[in-house]
Amino acid sequence: MKVLLVDDHPLILSALQTVIKGLGDDVSVLGAGSAAEARAALQQDADFDLVLLDLSLGDADGFEVL
């Protein structure tokens, strides 16, 4: 499973990455700390199975990113 995690709080981002990676060896997690990073990641590779998106990002409204 390939997960994109988007959160602008570094501690939350790190903690969630650790928890999600612990779900199994076949799980990969890419973390993005802003809407701009998330958009760039999706432009390079849009083949994610799951996107966990903070709706209160510092550089954009999460609903706009969605």
Side-chain angles (χ1 to χ4, degrees):
M1 177 170 55
K2 194 168 160 186
V3 179
L4 175 61
L5 180 58
V6 185
D7 198 305
D8 59 341
H9 293 90
L11 292 176
I12 300 296
L13 185 62
S14 176
L16 286 174
Q17 281 179 304
T18 301
V19 169
I20 294 168
K21 285 179 184 176
L23 294 176
D25 292 333
D26 63 334
V27 178
S28 64
V29 181
L30 176 63
S34 67
E37 285 182 35
R39 288 181 178 121
L42 288 167
Q43 283 181 343
Q44 287 186 347
D45 182 8
D47 189 31
F48 288 93
D49 299 303
L50 176 66
V51 176
L52 295 176
L53 172 64
D54 181 0
L55 296 179
S56 299
L57 295 168
D59 64 335
D61 180 82
F63 285 109
E64 291 176 13
V65 176
L66 184 63

